[in-house]
């Protein structure tokens, strides 16, 4: 019977990102005998390794009989090459507990003996999507109470690795809950605060649905894919780092949760808080500042929602052993002028180097966050913290510190240039009165960001600016003509800019 379920591997040549996929012929004996359908889940075994993969059914001419096509992700995770034999069978029904929890409107506890969060997250990438989606739907909105969010946070930390900093009682960090394109304050804040001798081991995420994450922007400037030993070395040399957290398996369940949650367009308060805090705790942080921008097209829409979020952040942080200070800020428009990895990197360098064209709002937001971290660290007023942060930035100490961090991580790279660009100008004079953050982010992504690092947008106007006829509104960059045209067609149908035009 096992022999009947053995197939020869074919490299199908398809990149499915993080999801392992197996492609079987429509007439394959496994599809017939097991009753498997497209988008089902199956177990693939090679020697001592097994994974759960999504099944896609293809026409007979695509594959030779007796073969199974594997995606790049599946090949990598199995550690297998084309021509080897794999065993295929049904996936285990790990999802049953999740389905029951969803049906009963029951949130699992971290200490649940039958199915702890930890067990679920360790296998979460192997769980049937429908069941996991149902579970996340139960958790959506504000349906998790504080105790449940604490359990979720602790479980997310427990399923990954943790950084430890012996003989250090104060480890600082910062985070923005998101929703503002171009808001690349982390490299600035880390450089300012660590230049003062404080420890800031910053592990950041790559973009999931945004035009760039901090790790995407930093990857255009230096190496961010470091292992734990290298991270500890960089921090020992410079008091800081600016690296990709995914490379060291810190709170790995977070990537799975966010990917599914965003695909369903769910805005789970519990997942948001657990996501942020689990990564801070896993990085060894003791104190963190959380920026919560509020605006009509930001992630958090009202001040009331922001205040509730801040309260829960503080409570969960205290229960998990990390001190949290939340700041409610203006989220009505993008921060900085660049959107996309390279364009945001240009803004960061401009602020650090004190260029005259450096975006003032990015500089001011970074100084504000750094001031609050200084206030936490030194137990003095925000005003004193702001003065200290400003001196460090204006005297070039932050720029020199950034250079030290980058050198320790592998050296400063030359920023790539986009192959195609288009400058959009105003056809009728007017005043820019609003920018839709979500539409602007979507436009930059359609241009190719962050997959093509040089793709994105550079803004030439801010809310309140009065523009004449022919004035530039933005320049869009892309790696291909097709992407550029595609993004421009979206812009013309869904412009993120609202103008009041002169009579």
């Amino acid at each position: 019977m096992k022999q009947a379920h053995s197939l020869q591997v074919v490299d199908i040549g398809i990149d499915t990102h993080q999801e392992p996929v197996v492609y079987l012929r429509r007439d394959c004996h496994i599809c017939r005998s097991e009753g498997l359908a497209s988008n089902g889940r199956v177990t693939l075994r090679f020697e001592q390794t097994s994974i759960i993969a999504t099944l896609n059914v293809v026409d007979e001419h695509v594959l030779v009989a007796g073969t199974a096509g594997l995606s790049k992700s599946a090949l990598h995770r199995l550690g297998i090459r084309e021509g080897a034999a794999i065993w295929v069978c049904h996936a285990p029904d790990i999802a049953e507990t999740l389905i029951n929890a969803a049906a009963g409107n029951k949130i699992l506890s971290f200490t649940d003996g039958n199915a702890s969060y930890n067990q679920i997250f360790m296998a979460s990438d192997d769980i049937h999507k429908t069941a996991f989606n149902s579970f996340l739907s139960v958790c959506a909105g504000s349906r998790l109470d504080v105790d449940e969010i604490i359990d979720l946070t602790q479980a997310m930390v427990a399923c990954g690795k943790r950084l430890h900093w012996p003989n250090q009682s104060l480890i600082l960090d910062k985070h923005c809950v998101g929703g503002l394109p171009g808001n690349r304050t982390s490299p600035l804040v880390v450089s300012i605060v660590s230049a003062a001798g404080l420890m800031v081991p910053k592990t950041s995420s790559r973009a999931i649905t945004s035009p760039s994450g901090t790790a995407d922007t930093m990857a255009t400037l230096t190496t961010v894919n470091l292992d734990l030993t290298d991270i500890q070395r960089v921090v020992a040399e410079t008091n800081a780092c600016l690296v990709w957290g995914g490379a060291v398996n810190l709170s790995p369940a977070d990537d799975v949760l966010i990917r599914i949650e965003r695909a369903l367009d769910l805005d789970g308060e519990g997942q948001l808080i657990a996501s942020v805090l689990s990564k801070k705790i896993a990085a060894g942080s003791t104190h963190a500042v959380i920026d919560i921008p509020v605006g009509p097209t930001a992630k958090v829409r009202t001040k009331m929602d922001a205040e509730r979020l801040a309260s829960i952040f503080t409570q969960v942080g205290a229960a998990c052993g990390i001190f949290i200070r939340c700041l409610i800020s203006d989220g009505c428009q993008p921060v900085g002028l660049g959107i996309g990895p390279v364009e945001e990197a240009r803004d960061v360098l401009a602020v650090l180097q004190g260029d005259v064209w450096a975006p003032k709002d990015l500089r001011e937001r970074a100084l504000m966050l750094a001031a609050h971290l200084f206030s936490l660290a030194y137990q003095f007023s925000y005003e004193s913290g702001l003065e200290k942060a400003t001196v460090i930035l204006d005297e070039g100490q932050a720029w020199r510190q950034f250079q030290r961090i980058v050198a320790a991580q592998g050296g400063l790279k030359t920023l790539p240039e986009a192959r195609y660009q288009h400058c959009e100008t105003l056809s009728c004079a007017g005043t820019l009165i609003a920018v839709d953050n979500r539409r602007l982010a979507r436009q930059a992504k359609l241009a190719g960001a962050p997959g093509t690092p040089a793709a994105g947008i550079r803004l030439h106007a801010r809310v309140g600016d009065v523009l004449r006829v022919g004035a530039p509104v933005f320049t869009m960059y892309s790696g291909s003509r097709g992407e550029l045209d595609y993004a421009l067609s979206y812009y013309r149908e869904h412009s993120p800019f609202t103008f009041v035009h002169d009579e």
Side-chain angles (χ1 to χ4, degrees), residues 173-174 184-192 194 200-205 214-219 221-226 231 234-235 238-245 348 352 398 401-406 408-409:
D173 207 339
K174 56 80 58 180
R184 203 51 56 217
T185 56
S186 288
L188 300 170
V189 174
V190 169
S191 300
I192 293 168
S194 63
V200 196
K202 182 65 179 167
T203 60
S204 301
S205 300
T214 295
D216 296 302
T217 296
M218 283 303 304
L221 294 166
T222 190
T223 303
V224 298
N225 191 351
L226 303 184
I231 290 174
V234 172
V235 174
T238 68
N239 288 320
C241 64
L242 286 158
V243 301
W244 175 44
V348 167
L352 286 170
Q401 173 66 358
F402 181 80
Q403 290 176 294
R404 283 192 289 269
I405 296 170
V406 167
Q409 290 186 200

Side-chain angles (χ1 to χ4, degrees), residues 278-438:
S278 65
K279 289 194 171 180
K280 304 304 169 197
I281 296 166
S285 301
T286 62
H287 296 69
V289 167
I290 308 295
D291 182 17
I292 308 177
V294 177
T297 58
K299 182 178 292 184
V300 181
R301 306 296 181 86
T302 69
K303 186 178 180 181
M304 182 180 297
D305 289 339
E307 290 173 343
R308 170 183 165 78
L309 199 61
S311 175
I312 300 175
F313 258 121
T314 305
Q315 294 178 67
V316 175
C320 295
I322 179 171
F323 182 88
I324 299 296
R325 176 183 290 182
C326 290
L327 311 173
I328 299 175
S329 61
D330 181 10
C332 290
Q333 64 175 319
V335 177
L337 300 173
I339 301 166
V342 165
E343 292 307 307
E344 292 175 25
R346 296 190 198 282
D347 281 356
V348 167
L349 294 177
V351 173
L352 286 170
Q353 295 171 357
D355 289 349
V356 293
W357 63 266
K360 293 181 180 179
D361 59 332
L362 179 62
R363 168 191 162 91
E364 291 170 357
R365 189 175 286 255
L367 287 172
M368 178 267 292
L369 294 168
H372 278 284
L373 284 174
F374 282 143
S375 175
L376 287 177
Y378 297 122
Q379 297 297 301
F380 55 38
S381 68
Y382 167 75
E383 289 73 21
S384 296
L386 182 60
E387 181 179 356
K388 184 177 184 67
T390 303
V391 168
I392 289 173
L393 182 60
D394 288 348
E395 292 186 352
Q397 297 175 51
W399 169 230
R400 291 190 292 273
Q401 173 66 358
F402 181 80
Q403 290 176 294
R404 283 192 289 269
I405 296 170
V406 167
Q409 290 186 200
L412 186 64
K413 298 178 181 178
T414 300
L415 293 176
E417 299 286 342
R419 186 174 180 184
Y420 297 91
Q421 61 179 271
H422 168 83
C423 182
E424 185 73 13
T425 59
L426 200 62
S427 59
C428 180
T431 303
L432 180 59
I433 62 169
V435 178
D436 188 311
N437 290 306
R438 294 172 184 263

Side-chain angles (χ1 to χ4, degrees), residues 90-108:
H90 273 296
D93 194 11
I94 305 172
E96 183 177 357
T97 303
L98 297 182
I99 296 172
N100 292 338
N105 197 30
K106 174 181 178 291
I107 306 303
L108 296 177

Side-chain angles (χ1 to χ4, degrees), residues 35-327:
L36 301 177
S38 192
N39 286 326
R41 305 284 273 180
V42 293
T43 299
L44 306 180
R45 291 193 179 94
F46 172 65
E47 296 179 346
Q48 303 303 313
T49 303
S50 65
I51 65 171
I52 308 297
T54 298
L55 168 65
N56 279 356
V57 177
V58 300
D59 291 340
E60 286 81 350
H61 71 273
V62 176
L63 291 168
V64 174
T67 64
L70 296 189
S71 68
K72 296 295 185 183
S73 175
L75 288 167
H76 175 73
R77 292 182 60 180
L78 279 173
I80 195 172
R81 292 186 177 182
E82 189 170 61
I86 57 170
W87 305 96
V88 184
C89 62
H90 273 296
D93 194 11
I94 305 172
E96 183 177 357
T97 303
L98 297 182
I99 296 172
N100 292 338
N105 197 30
K106 174 181 178 291
I107 306 303
L108 296 177
S109 168
F110 177 56
T111 56
D112 189 324
N114 294 321
S116 71
Y117 273 137
N118 188 39
Q119 292 169 328
I120 291 168
F121 291 151
M122 291 299 286
S124 60
D125 200 35
D126 299 338
I127 292 177
H128 195 289
K129 291 180 180 178
T130 302
F132 208 82
N133 292 353
S134 299
F135 175 71
L136 282 177
S137 297
V138 172
C139 303
S142 304
R143 300 177 72 177
L144 293 181
D145 62 29
V146 172
D147 289 338
E148 290 166 336
I149 298 173
I150 292 170
D151 283 344
L152 178 58
T153 304
Q154 292 172 338
M156 291 173 71
V157 173
C159 74
K161 295 180 181 179
R162 297 186 67 170
L163 287 167
H164 298 282
W165 310 102
N167 305 319
Q168 294 290 335
S169 59
L170 185 69
I171 309 296
L172 300 176
D173 207 339
K174 56 80 58 180
H175 184 82
C176 176
V177 300
L180 298 187
N183 189 20
R184 203 51 56 217
T185 56
S186 288
L188 300 170
V189 174
V190 169
S191 300
I192 293 168
V193 175
S194 63
L198 297 172
M199 186 173 284
V200 196
K202 182 65 179 167
T203 60
S204 301
S205 300
R206 291 188 180 274
I208 297 174
T209 60
S210 67
S212 184
T214 295
D216 296 302
T217 296
M218 283 303 304
T220 69
L221 294 166
T222 190
T223 303
V224 298
N225 191 351
L226 303 184
D227 61 23
L228 288 174
T229 301
D230 279 334
I231 290 174
Q232 291 167 332
R233 173 187 56 79
V234 172
V235 174
E237 293 177 10
T238 68
N239 288 320
C241 64
L242 286 158
V243 301
W244 175 44
V248 288
N249 205 34
L250 299 178
S251 188
D254 180 48
D255 294 331
V256 179
L257 283 171
I258 292 177
R259 191 164 65 247
I260 299 175
E261 186 182 20
R262 296 291 174 80
L264 293 173
D265 197 24
L266 294 175
D267 191 12
E269 178 182 80
Q271 279 83 27
L272 168 63
I273 295 169
S275 168
V276 172
L277 295 185
S278 65
K279 289 194 171 180
K280 304 304 169 197
I281 296 166
S285 301
T286 62
H287 296 69
V289 167
I290 308 295
D291 182 17
I292 308 177
V294 177
T297 58
K299 182 178 292 184
V300 181
R301 306 296 181 86
T302 69
K303 186 178 180 181
M304 182 180 297
D305 289 339
E307 290 173 343
R308 170 183 165 78
L309 199 61
S311 175
I312 300 175
F313 258 121
T314 305
Q315 294 178 67
V316 175
C320 295
I322 179 171
F323 182 88
I324 299 296
R325 176 183 290 182
C326 290
L327 311 173

